[in-house]
Amino acid sequence: MTEAATDTPMPLWRTLASLMLDPGGVVRRGLGDVGPAAALAIPATAFTLFFLQSGLDRVRGGTIDGTGVGLLAAAGLGLGTLGVALVALTAWGAVRALGGTIAMADALKTFALCYAPTLVYTLLGIACNLAFGWNTALAFGVTGVLWALGPMTGAVREMLGGRLWPALALSTLCGLLILFGWSRLAVLA
């Protein structure tokens, strides 16, 4: 392999797939040319679709109307951008306090990209919701959020020099914060 071939930036889809399969390796190798906006677009889209599913489920139940669905989707966008960023920055502070040396921008991008599995699940969920009329927010949305904890734990473990228990505790706390945000925001409409 030539030197030029090793400097070629990895496409975003490969970075996302790598993060799902080998999150520690992605942290070790770095995120290359993935910018913060591109990284945050992943959870922004995932949570917008997740909250849209919640809204569509509630429309079927007769508890909200179309305006409420729009408000929920907007709340999902907020949680997927601002919420994920705040949780990531909080986690970065904890990683630093526990002896990790990752840069703040890299931690933010890594945490945001850990929501790639959530995006996969919410895309499948919205497709089933629209195609079959199924209520999918819990089955696909919450499951997708929980699936993000695996890559997050692996990434945090790498940030902490291989220490598993602090990584498990920190990624679990991050997941709880995001699920708490969903539970509070999902009742707005």
Side-chain angles (χ1 to χ4, degrees):
M1 187 175 271
T2 67
E3 185 65 33
T6 60
D7 290 339
T8 304
M10 191 181 318
L12 182 59
W13 70 269
R14 272 195 75 192
T15 300
L16 295 176
S18 295
L19 195 61
M20 286 189 273
L21 300 172
D22 182 21
V26 172
V27 172
R28 274 190 304 279
R29 290 186 300 276
L31 295 169
D33 290 345
V34 177
L40 281 171
I42 300 301
T45 305
F47 282 96
T48 300
L49 292 173
F50 178 18
F51 278 57
L52 180 61
Q53 288 175 66
S54 295
L56 294 173
D57 291 355
R58 289 181 58 195
V59 163
R60 281 190 203 89
T63 60
I64 63 170
D65 59 10
T67 303
V69 174
L71 288 172
L72 280 175
L77 179 63
L79 182 63
T81 53
L82 184 59
V84 167
L86 289 173
V87 169
L89 293 176
T90 301
W92 170 76
V95 165
R96 296 293 292 220
L98 292 168
T101 59
I102 191 165
M104 181 174 57
D106 289 338
L108 175 66
K109 293 186 292 187
T110 300
F111 274 88
L113 293 173
C114 284
Y115 286 95
T118 307
L119 179 58
V120 170
Y121 264 76
T122 57
L123 285 168
L124 291 171
I126 200 71
C128 289
N129 192 305
L130 295 174
F132 306 118
W134 296 348
N135 290 341
T136 57
L138 292 176
F140 287 93
V142 173
T143 303
V145 172
L146 294 175
W147 196 28
L149 295 179
M152 191 178 299
T153 300
V156 173
R157 184 177 186 181
E158 184 63 32
M159 291 176 198
L160 292 173
R163 295 183 305 176
L164 178 61
W165 290 108
L168 284 170
L170 188 54
S171 59
T172 299
L173 178 62
C174 291
L176 286 172
L177 289 171
I178 291 296
L179 286 172
F180 179 77
W182 168 67
S183 72
R184 296 295 94 211
L185 291 172
V187 297
L188 288 178

